Amino acid sequence: MNIHYEKDVDLDVLKDKTIAVIGYGSQGRAQALNMSESGLDVVVGLRKGGASWEKAKTDGLTVLTIEEAALKADVIHILIPDEIQEAVYEAAIAEGLEEGNTISFSHGYNIHYNYIKAPKNVNVTMVAPKAPGATVRREYEEGFGVPGLVAVEQDYTGNAKEIALAMAKGSGLTRAGVLETTFKEETETDLFGEQAVLCGGATELIKAGFQTLVDAGYQPEIAYFETCHELKLIVDLIYKQGFGGMWHDVSNTAEYGGLTRRDRVITDESRAAMKEILKEIQTGKFTREFALENQAGAPMLKRMRAMEDDLQIEKVGTKLRKLCGLQK
């Protein structure tokens, strides 16, 4: 495992180069501002008149249309949602690419699954912070950084890795450490983590625990505290100290109960389902499904969002988060 820190990386590889950050959402804003404040030449490429145009200008950045930014830049860093990257690339970026340019991403999705097919005479790289954009920005402003990943899919110029690492340093990632990976590894593990554990698995576990208590006659508010609210406390302990530190800090009752009962919740059937989810990611089945969903206007996603909003745990949670001062 190769890990790079501040002392290992030279920003001079990006001297006299312009970086176009395409998109100004959570990651786009954080990375654009961080790199700019690190002394790199950054422009932002946006849809003219879009919601982010004035925001980026107010932040003090040079704002151009996507076509203009891509033409001006030596490095085009694409930070718009996965599902629109291919269309935007074909319409506004591909034609203006020049030999020796670098196209860069923070997620390997569109390159790994061949939705974006880069020409052979450019670099294809990845700089991926392992934190939400707001955290990337806050940590940078406080003099720290979040860990990150870099990957090179195509090295035309011979220094594609050095370019990616310099961008990572500009974003503050080398302060915490940057690991080398591949587009395949980052994409497949990222999708699996989201689906099986972080977003899909965790929310379903919380919902099931909440509903079990409510169906047994316990107050929904108490059920929410026990199955959702306190989860952050446990995750924070694991994040800082690992499993061992968490077990040390909870009660002996919690430790014994958790260790002796957890495999009755996550069973062999659950593990088999995880393997199936991973297989669907590896074979491209999930990405084909997601592409069809978006081509149809995302009807299933919209329906599931509405169903999620209507859950009892969401209504109870909104009320309790306001009481706790966590939500306005």
Side-chain angles (χ1 to χ4, degrees):
M1 179 173 62
N2 291 325
I3 306 179
H4 303 271
Y5 297 98
E6 291 278 279
K7 62 180 175 57
D8 305 319
V9 181
D10 188 356
L11 281 180
D12 281 350
V13 71
L14 291 172
K15 187 179 180 181
D16 302 325
K17 292 188 183 297
T18 298
I19 302 167
V21 174
I22 309 301
Y24 206 66
S26 176
Q27 283 293 344
R29 181 175 187 270
Q31 294 187 49
L33 286 172
N34 290 4
M35 286 191 289
S36 178
E37 290 173 17
S38 293
L40 301 180
D41 181 17
V42 176
V43 300
V44 178
L46 297 171
R47 180 172 54 86
K48 194 156 191 174
S52 298
W53 186 279
E54 288 303 321
K55 184 177 182 182
K57 288 182 69 174
T58 300
D59 284 339
L61 294 167
T62 299
V63 186
L64 305 169
T65 66
I66 295 173
E67 292 90 341
E68 291 168 340
L71 277 172
K72 180 180 176 67
D74 304 284
V75 180
I76 300 97
H77 193 35
I78 303 174
L79 298 180
I80 52 180
D82 292 329
E83 63 270 22
I84 65 171
Q85 283 188 13
E86 178 188 13
V88 171
Y89 173 81
E90 292 296 338
I93 296 173
E95 188 176 339
L97 284 176
E98 297 179 354
E99 182 178 0
N101 281 170
T102 297
I103 53 172
S104 174
F105 303 82
S106 282
H107 181 35
Y109 190 97
N110 278 277
I111 292 294
H112 179 55
Y113 292 114
N114 292 312
Y115 290 111
I116 291 177
K117 299 176 181 65
K120 297 296 184 183
N121 63 351
V122 302
N123 299 326
V124 181
T125 62
M126 185 197 313
V127 180
K130 297 311 293 177
T135 306
V136 173
R137 180 62 180 155
R138 184 183 68 246
E139 291 292 307
Y140 179 90
E141 289 182 303
E142 293 177 358
F144 304 108
V146 303
L149 307 175
V150 295
V152 176
E153 183 76 3
Q154 188 167 290
D155 184 5
Y156 178 76
T157 62
N159 66 343
K161 185 170 82 170
E162 287 73 19
I163 290 171
L165 285 170
M167 291 174 65
K169 182 172 183 175
S171 287
L173 309 186
T174 51
R175 297 173 181 177
V178 174
L179 285 71
E180 290 187 39
T181 185
T182 64
F183 272 66
K184 172 182 169 61
E185 183 176 60
E186 185 277 336
T187 302
E188 293 179 357
T189 57
D190 187 76
L191 291 175
F192 176 80
E194 291 168 350
Q195 295 173 23
V197 182
L198 305 175
C199 302
T203 53
E204 193 63 23
L205 182 64
I206 293 167
K207 283 165 53 182
F210 173 85
Q211 202 60 50
T212 298
L213 290 176
V214 171
D215 290 348
Y218 299 102
Q219 295 180 69
E221 293 79 7
I222 301 298
Y224 179 86
F225 276 125
E226 294 301 333
T227 61
C228 185
H229 180 85
E230 291 190 25
L231 182 63
K232 182 183 184 306
L233 308 178
I234 299 301
V235 170
D236 283 349
L237 288 173
I238 295 171
Y239 178 81
K240 293 175 182 177
Q241 305 175 52
F243 288 166
M246 181 273 290
W247 291 127
H248 180 270
D249 280 6
V250 300
S251 69
N252 292 338
T253 312
E255 181 181 15
Y256 179 80
L259 288 170
T260 57
R261 266 70 177 169
R262 62 185 180 180
D263 61 357
R264 289 161 60 181
V265 178
I266 304 301
T267 63
D268 288 343
E269 185 178 356
S270 306
R271 293 181 177 86
M274 286 186 176
K275 290 179 180 178
E276 186 62 27
I277 288 169
L278 180 57
K279 183 177 179 181
E280 290 174 359
I281 292 166
Q282 292 170 329
T283 61
K285 180 179 179 182
F286 167 76
T287 57
R288 291 191 293 272
E289 177 186 323
F290 188 51
L292 289 172
E293 171 73 6
N294 284 291
Q295 288 170 17
M300 185 180 298
L301 182 57
K302 291 173 183 175
R303 185 166 63 251
M304 290 187 294
R305 283 174 178 165
M307 292 170 63
E308 201 81 351
D309 288 342
D310 199 44
L311 290 172
Q312 184 183 17
I313 189 172
E314 279 292 86
K315 296 173 181 177
V316 172
T318 299
K319 178 175 67 175
L320 292 180
R321 287 190 296 274
K322 288 178 180 178
L323 285 175
C324 294
L326 300 173
Q327 186 175 330
K328 295 181 180 179

